[in-house]
Each structure stands twice: as C-alpha cells, then as structure tokens.
Amino acid sequence: MDFKNRKCYKEEDEPTNSLSCLPNEIALDILSRLPIKSVIQSRFACRSWNLLSCDPLLVHMHMSMTMIYQRVCLIFHSKYPLRNQLHFLEFLDDDDNQIVRKFDTPFSDFTPEFSVIGSVNGLLCLIDSSLADSIYIYNPFTRDYKVIPKSIKIQDQIVMFGFGFHPITKEYKVIKIVYYPNANNLKIARKCNGLMTSLRSDVQIYNLGTNEWSSIGETPYRLEKRSSPGVLVSGRLHWMSQLAKYTSRPGRIIVSFDLSNDSFREIPNPDSGALKWTSSHLAVLGGFLSAATHLGNGALDIWVMKEYGVPESWVKMFTLGAYSPRIIGPELQNGGVSLHNFLGGNSVRILCVMKTGEILVEYKGGTLVCYNPDTGEFIEFKS
Amino acid sequence: MSSSEERKLILKSSDNEEFVVKESSAVQCLTIKNLVEDRCVSDPIPLANVDSKILALVIEFMEKHAETTLSNSEKKEFDVEFVKKPFDDLLELILAANYLDFRELMDVLCNTCAKQMENWSVEEVREKFNIQNDYTVEEEKAARAENPWAFE
C-alpha cells in the first residue's frame, strides 16, 4: 500500500471509487463476515464488488467465519406442492426473527421437480425426479450449475446416492450405488420388494474434477435405501446397511465410503456391538458422525462418535423426549402425505446442532423444532 | 523484571509525530514484530502509511490488549466503546491495522463494519464506502430480478 492510495481516500474533491483505496483482501475480509443475504446485496454496489462476491477466496473465508462463529445456514427443499422449491434460512447471532427466503433454480424450466442428493461447501447436488434423471451440481448463490453427464442406467435398479468432498484430495464426487436384479432373478426380485441378497450391485463414482463417471464394480454391502443420501463426515459418506433379515448380520451397521481412495469400511457399533441400530438414522452433529435411534413415540437416543473411527468413542449424548408438534407442518396441513423417508416409518429426525448447542429436529409433516438438551425444552418454528 | 518488558520503541507517524510504546505491546503488530526479530529496527520506526491521529488510536488499542491484568470480558467492553467512531475513522483504522498486520484489531474492526453493513441498503453501502455505481439502470434491474429474495 503506497502513499498515493492512502491519499486518494482522504481527498473529498476527487470522486474516486473507494474500492481502489480499500484493498481487495480487506473488502473480502469484511464481506466474509456478512450474512449471506448481505453478501448478495453487496454485489449491487458496483461491478468490482460483484466480482469480489464471486471470488472463490470469499467462499473459503466465509466458510471459515461460519465455522468460527458457528453460524448455521439451512437450505430446505420443500416437497409440497411441488418438489421444486428451495428455501434458505440463516441463523444469525442475535436475531430472533429469522426469515425463510425462497429462491429459484435457473433450471426450473426444464427440471420441474428435483430431489436433493447432498450439499457440501455451499454446493447443492440435485437430481431430476422425473425419468430424465439428470443430476445437477448447483451453486445457489452464484446461480452457476453444471449438468453431470449421464451414467449407466439399469432396468429395475434401486439407487443410493451421496455427494461429498474430501478435504485432502479436494475432490467433489457424486456416488451412485446401484442394486439391480440379475436377468435370471428378475421375477423373484420383483416379488420380494427390497430383497437385496440376490441382487447385483455397481458402485459408480462421478468426479467433478475429471467430469467422468467410473465404476469400482460390486460391493458386498446391502445398504438401506431409506438412508440415502449418504451423510458426509471427514471426507467419507455414510449409509446404514439393511436389516438382518436381508443380510447375514444382526441389526444394521454403518458403512462408510472414503472419497480419497474409493473404498468401503464399516463403522463399528457402540457398546462393543451390543447396539444394533435397528431403527436409526444418521446425521452430522457439530461435525461428528451421529446416529439417532428411535425409542418409539418419537423419542430418540442420540449417539455421537467423538473420535472418528474409534468405536469406544461412541457416546450417548442425550435422549430426545417424545414430542408432538403443536404446529402442523405444511404438508399435513394441506392434507398431503409426508414424503419423507424416515427409517422404520418413524416420524422424527435430527438435522443439525445450532450455535447455542440446541438441536434442530424435523417432525413428520415438516415442522421444525429446536430442542435444548440441557433443559429438555422444545421450541417450534412458526412456518 | 526482565529487560524485554522494559524495552521501548519509537513509532513515527506519516506526519512526523513520535510515539513511545513498549516493545511487548508493539509486537502485536506483525509488521513491527518482524522488524524487531530481524533486528532491522531503526530508531524511530517510520510508518509512512499511518497518520498521528490514527496511530494514537492504534496504540491505545494495542496497549489495552497487551495488558495481562485485564480479563477477556474487560477487553471486549473496551472494544465495544473503541469502535464507536465515525465510519470513516473505522475505515482508516482498518487500513492502518492491515498495514501493521495487527490481526486482533482487524478482526474487531471488520466485525464492526460487517455488523453495521447488515442493516444498510445498497445505496447506503455505496455512500459509506464512497463507491461509484457503475451499473447501468438495466443491468441493475436484471441483477436484482435474479435474486429477489435478497431484498425481502
């Protein structure tokens, strides 16, 4: 920074763009501390700031700030009336009135309905719900998107998905695990819905960097369809395996897929395997792999793996009591059936942990509730 | 008392005013710390990009934060009062903190600016940062139409 730059800021008779006096790295520093809505607004100040707001360094800094200040930002995919609406909500530090904002996708004209496969580092991975099966990687804030080349589709296939990023290899991948019947077993497979033992499998991997699909062939794991999409922790995607009836093991296990070397591993169950995860779902709480087991009546035991991969580090953090939301979610309100695939047909799942340590929980019908594990209090969000 | 606690430095502002500071406080500024460690310390240290008004404020912050007897909450209280200044002064302080590589001060100032900016309209942002709007009317309309949710 030389003297000339400093001087231009002070002189009021010279109408200069102050940006030339505020170095980019400082403007980025300030922008990275803004809530997302303000970052978008700042784009309209002038063209240089528009460019700045799309600077990849800003994304990196904004995410660091989000980690430091533990800001939670959620994107909701609403399934009613149409599976095509995205809403965004950012929990700011001291703001009690959070506003949910709806935003459109640039491809809504040709993809009327979609499902969300995953979200990493602000990127969303969406799949067209119709037979077209197009997969998009979408940046909701710059509105850039990429259509992924089509992968092989097999008749009568059951597909599990995952979208993830590995912090060391820095690769984004879409994982598609396909189960399909042998031509010979077609009739049998169709009769026994979900019976996977006689099915073949194919693990397909899309690498955003190379823009190519590849296959690593079969996998011995039979994963529970309803645990798709996978949950991302430490560069690995996680799903639940199917129940004992369909596999040789009792209960379920958590299966991980390492995005750096494309390999599967099992995550050992807590209690030296005593806990079987029979009716459970996965989540990420505060960056840790977590599992919630259903106790009936909507109550949950929340387990957290404090040290990734170390079975002894599974801790039962707390128990979420049974709770019936007072506010009926929009789906039930309108007489629609909840389309959520909760494992075991259960009606509640945990989403994430907030800055305050409260847990965000979703109930059947779409009601969002904040649960305080210390006080046991439930606070509902008004829609 | 070890001698390094007593060692003093002289900082000279762009308008030639000299300030005496404890070396232990001054090294919170990495720019100064590097000079000291490389033994390139001239006497006084000229800071061509910081005028006396701003340097005095930086030193006030620097010395407060170097005091080991103060608790974190006391320092936070000081910070809250410290940033109650006209926005132009805050910008000048940011430039100085950036030049001096004083991370703690940068964090406090940038957080303050961001907090204030949250409530501003685009027009206010332009005014406070003295930014020229170089969009055409059509461009601006089109850009806003793409992201209507940002303006609700």
Side-chain angles (χ1 to χ4, degrees):
Chain A
M1 251 186 40
D2 59 345
F3 191 69
K4 180 164 170 276
N5 276 346
R6 270 282 278 117
K7 199 168 173 225
C8 85
Y9 185 71
K10 275 192 156 175
E11 276 168 32
E12 276 150 25
D13 44 351
E14 222 179 329
T16 50
N17 183 343
S18 171
L19 193 61
S20 62
C21 303
L22 200 64
N24 273 1
E25 73 250 21
I26 300 185
L28 276 183
D29 196 328
I30 299 180
L31 288 182
S32 72
R33 295 163 199 265
L34 288 173
I36 294 172
K37 164 182 161 258
S38 303
V39 175
I40 305 289
Q41 282 193 351
S42 71
R43 277 191 193 156
F44 302 105
C46 65
R47 287 197 182 138
S48 333
W49 275 34
N50 189 0
L51 286 176
L52 260 192
S53 74
C54 300
D55 190 321
L57 183 56
L58 176 62
V59 174
H60 180 74
M61 288 170 79
H62 201 276
M63 287 203 296
S64 309
M65 290 297 163
T66 307
M67 300 280 273
I68 294 169
Y69 295 105
Q70 291 173 284
R71 285 205 201 122
V72 173
C73 173
L74 296 176
I75 294 190
F76 302 109
H77 175 226
S78 79
K79 298 182 178 173
Y80 188 85
L82 274 181
R83 296 161 67 113
N84 67 346
Q85 296 185 7
L86 287 173
H87 296 76
F88 143 76
L89 171 63
E90 195 175 14
F91 290 97
L92 301 170
D93 299 325
D94 41 10
D95 200 339
D96 277 328
N97 288 330
Q98 316 294 356
I99 305 174
V100 178
R101 297 163 209 277
K102 173 168 170 283
F103 61 101
D104 291 325
T105 60
F107 38 83
S108 42
D109 288 340
F110 39 92
T111 301
E113 291 194 339
F114 55 80
S115 298
V116 179
I117 291 175
S119 111
V120 186
N121 294 344
L123 288 178
L124 291 179
C125 186
L126 310 172
I127 181 169
D128 186 341
S129 314
S130 70
L131 289 176
D133 261 346
S134 308
I135 300 179
Y136 301 86
I137 295 188
Y138 172 54
N139 182 331
F141 302 109
T142 63
R143 295 170 63 81
D144 288 329
Y145 67 93
K146 183 184 174 62
V147 186
I148 291 183
K150 300 259 197 220
S151 56
I152 307 166
K153 198 171 166 183
I154 307 168
Q155 202 179 13
D156 291 322
Q157 62 178 11
I158 298 170
V159 189
M160 310 269 304
F161 283 105
F163 175 55
F165 172 77
H166 197 285
I168 297 176
T169 61
K170 300 226 189 300
E171 292 174 320
Y172 288 92
K173 292 184 178 173
V174 178
I175 311 297
K176 198 173 150 192
I177 305 171
V178 178
Y179 296 99
Y180 61 96
N182 246 332
N184 306 333
N185 292 338
L186 202 61
K187 276 190 201 159
I188 303 172
R190 277 181 184 154
K191 263 195 195 166
C192 320
N193 233 342
L195 176 61
M196 289 215 190
T197 43
S198 61
L199 295 179
R200 303 285 303 278
S201 61
D202 189 27
V203 179
Q204 299 169 6
I205 302 163
Y206 170 78
N207 186 323
L208 185 60
T210 62
N211 194 33
E212 277 176 3
W213 284 96
S214 59
S215 165
I216 56 170
E218 303 232 23
T219 169
Y221 296 106
R222 293 294 173 258
L223 301 176
E224 170 58 60
K225 164 85 180 126
R226 286 171 298 179
S227 72
S228 177
V231 152
L232 182 71
V233 176
S234 304
R236 295 171 181 82
L237 285 166
H238 301 78
W239 299 270
M240 281 284 187
S241 68
Q242 281 210 314
L243 270 180
K245 308 192 252 179
Y246 306 121
T247 69
S248 51
R249 287 174 190 264
R252 301 181 196 271
I253 51 169
I254 300 175
V255 177
S256 76
F257 184 81
D258 190 329
L259 293 173
S260 66
N261 58 21
D262 292 347
S263 61
F264 285 97
R265 279 174 84 175
E266 296 170 24
I267 303 282
N269 292 20
D271 258 355
S272 315
L275 188 66
K276 303 287 183 228
W277 296 138
T278 314
S279 186
S280 314
H281 63 269
L282 294 172
V284 184
L285 291 181
F288 298 110
L289 179 64
S290 312
T293 52
H294 297 264
L295 306 169
N297 292 329
L300 295 172
D301 264 344
I302 315 283
W303 289 81
V304 177
M305 191 175 228
K306 280 297 192 176
E307 247 185 278
Y308 186 80
V310 176
E312 296 77 31
S313 72
W314 276 113
V315 177
K316 182 163 41 158
M317 294 290 281
F318 49 87
T319 301
L320 204 82
Y323 180 77
S324 287
R326 258 158 262 139
I327 296 174
I328 314 256
E331 292 172 25
L332 291 182
Q333 247 174 20
N334 291 291
V337 173
S338 170
L339 299 170
H340 290 301
N341 292 332
F342 295 139
L343 266 185
N346 286 295
S347 51
V348 58
R349 67 173 173 157
I350 49 174
L351 293 179
C352 63
V353 71
M354 317 277 286
K355 177 179 180 169
T356 49
E358 290 164 302
I359 312 287
L360 200 59
V361 184
E362 184 187 7
Y363 285 86
K364 192 168 188 170
T367 311
L368 274 190
V369 177
C370 221
Y371 172 74
N372 187 326
D374 297 326
T375 64
E377 226 187 306
F378 290 84
I379 301 174
E380 287 184 32
F381 284 91
K382 304 196 195 336
S383 49
Chain B
M1 256 202 295
S2 67
S3 57
S4 68
E5 270 174 356
E6 288 188 334
R7 251 208 317 259
K8 304 265 202 292
L9 294 175
I10 305 177
L11 304 177
K12 189 164 87 162
S13 69
S14 56
D15 44 351
N16 290 327
E17 217 180 294
E18 294 188 359
F19 297 81
V20 179
V21 294
K22 284 189 245 179
E23 183 183 293
S24 52
S25 317
V27 294
Q28 289 178 91
C29 301
L30 291 184
T31 310
I32 299 180
K33 181 168 189 250
N34 289 338
L35 286 174
V36 169
E37 284 178 352
D38 295 344
R39 298 171 196 279
C40 297
V41 181
S42 56
D43 217 4
I45 302 176
L47 299 173
N49 287 344
V50 191
D51 69 21
S52 52
K53 169 183 156 201
I54 297 297
L55 187 53
L57 291 172
V58 173
I59 291 174
E60 185 194 337
F61 186 94
M62 186 197 284
E63 292 189 329
K64 206 65 171 186
H65 276 251
E67 269 174 58
T68 44
T69 52
L70 285 183
S71 70
N72 274 338
S73 49
E74 282 171 316
K75 287 184 185 172
K76 281 212 161 69
E77 274 174 35
F78 166 78
D79 292 347
V80 166
E81 289 306 311
F82 184 79
V83 296
K84 287 182 182 165
K85 292 180 167 44
F87 195 73
D88 282 354
D89 282 358
L90 292 181
L91 284 184
E92 293 227 34
L93 277 166
I94 287 183
L95 292 174
N98 186 46
Y99 170 69
L100 292 168
D101 205 348
F102 191 173
R103 196 64 237 166
E104 239 181 297
L105 180 55
M106 276 296 273
D107 275 342
V108 169
L109 291 169
C110 289
N111 272 341
T112 309
C113 284
K115 248 305 160 287
Q116 289 189 25
M117 271 176 85
E118 276 177 39
N119 298 320
W120 294 344
S121 65
V122 177
E123 289 75 20
E124 281 178 280
V125 168
R126 285 191 195 125
E127 190 204 338
K128 301 272 183 165
F129 283 95
N130 195 21
I131 296 173
Q132 297 279 45
N133 180 7
D134 50 0
Y135 281 115
T136 63
V137 173
E138 293 81 22
E139 277 175 340
E140 205 178 326
K141 257 200 209 163
R144 281 186 191 236
E146 273 189 353
N147 295 285
W149 57 273
F151 293 93
E152 277 162 31

